[in-house]
Amino acid sequence: MRQPEDSEKGILHPREQARHRTLSRLAPGPGAERFVEWYWIVEWDLDEPYTAEVLPFPSVNVTFEQPGGAFVNGVYTRKFERQLTGRGRVFGAKFWAGGFGAITGLDVGSLSDQVLPISAVFPDGDRLADLVFAEESDVRRRAVFEAFLRDHLSPPDPSYELVRDIVTAMATDRSLARVDEVTERFDVPIRTLQRLFRRYVGVGPKWVLRRYRLHDGAELLARGEVTELAGLSAALGYFDQAHFSKEFKQQIGLTPAEYAVRAALGAQISHR
């Protein structure tokens, strides 16, 4: 399941962020698309610091940051904040949920909520970073990274393919609101599902379901497409509006109503 090129899911306060940095995406090349969903490039040149906020996907990202270095970013279970200062650039590879675990053989759960130097995961990671930073175009950076991946490709993995199918259904089908509905649809025992998600995704299936529903809610609120919160809560599979509002604030730091107001203000400023 590929997000549209202009998708803002996961990006908090997207109109506001767009005034402080640029974002572009690059599709993976042949072969790599089995593991990598897309590459993303963020650039900024600021007089004043700005804190960019993201509600991360259940995905591992490998990032090459100037200045900064190269890192493996495990699945972040909380809101991710990054202060942008001065001038900088990041070239990132966003793996499919489960893709990083399939290609490396690692238990991705051990990486959750961690940002590690690339050499801590790949013994030859520093050499990869030098080669990526030496290139002058993102297409060439992609080529270098994917050549490195080809040297680490694992054979077809039925467990990974199953995990990817399940995560795709979770992301796209809002009628999947509970883990028991997932186990029934895919005929997978709950303990097997939990073990697979720990190994490949890094977080549990319930967390993934809730995260995707929050992505949906935040995107609709940011676009000004919500007329009343009770209907949105029901559409996202929450028991009631109070449960949705509580979880939204816990994860994003604002109530849905507060988030919608800030998004509307950001849109007004963007159109001036």
Side-chain angles (χ1 to χ4, degrees), residues 156-211:
D157 184 343
S159 294
Y160 166 51
E161 301 303 334
L162 173 61
V163 167
R164 183 168 152 177
D165 288 344
I166 293 173
V167 173
T168 297
M170 288 176 165
T172 57
D173 186 350
R174 290 182 188 167
S175 71
L176 284 176
R178 301 194 314 272
V179 174
D180 64 311
E181 295 171 340
V182 176
T183 60
E184 181 178 354
R185 176 178 298 189
F186 288 91
D187 193 24
V188 178
I190 179 62
R191 290 189 177 180
T192 300
L193 184 67
Q194 290 170 337
R195 176 179 55 80
L196 287 171
F197 269 60
R198 159 77 190 190
R199 156 70 175 84
Y200 289 91
V201 183
V203 287
K206 182 178 179 179
W207 185 95
V208 174
L209 277 172
R210 299 265 62 85
R211 177 52 52 94

Side-chain angles (χ1 to χ4, degrees), residues 2 26-39 91 96 138-139 141-147 149-150 153:
R2 187 170 302 286
L26 186 64
E33 75 272 15
R34 183 173 146 224
F35 302 100
V36 178
E37 187 172 3
W38 65 57
Y39 297 92
F91 176 83
W96 288 103
D138 292 319
V139 171
R141 293 182 184 102
R142 177 184 64 183
V144 168
F145 185 73
E146 293 184 355
L149 288 185
R150 283 194 292 273
L153 283 178

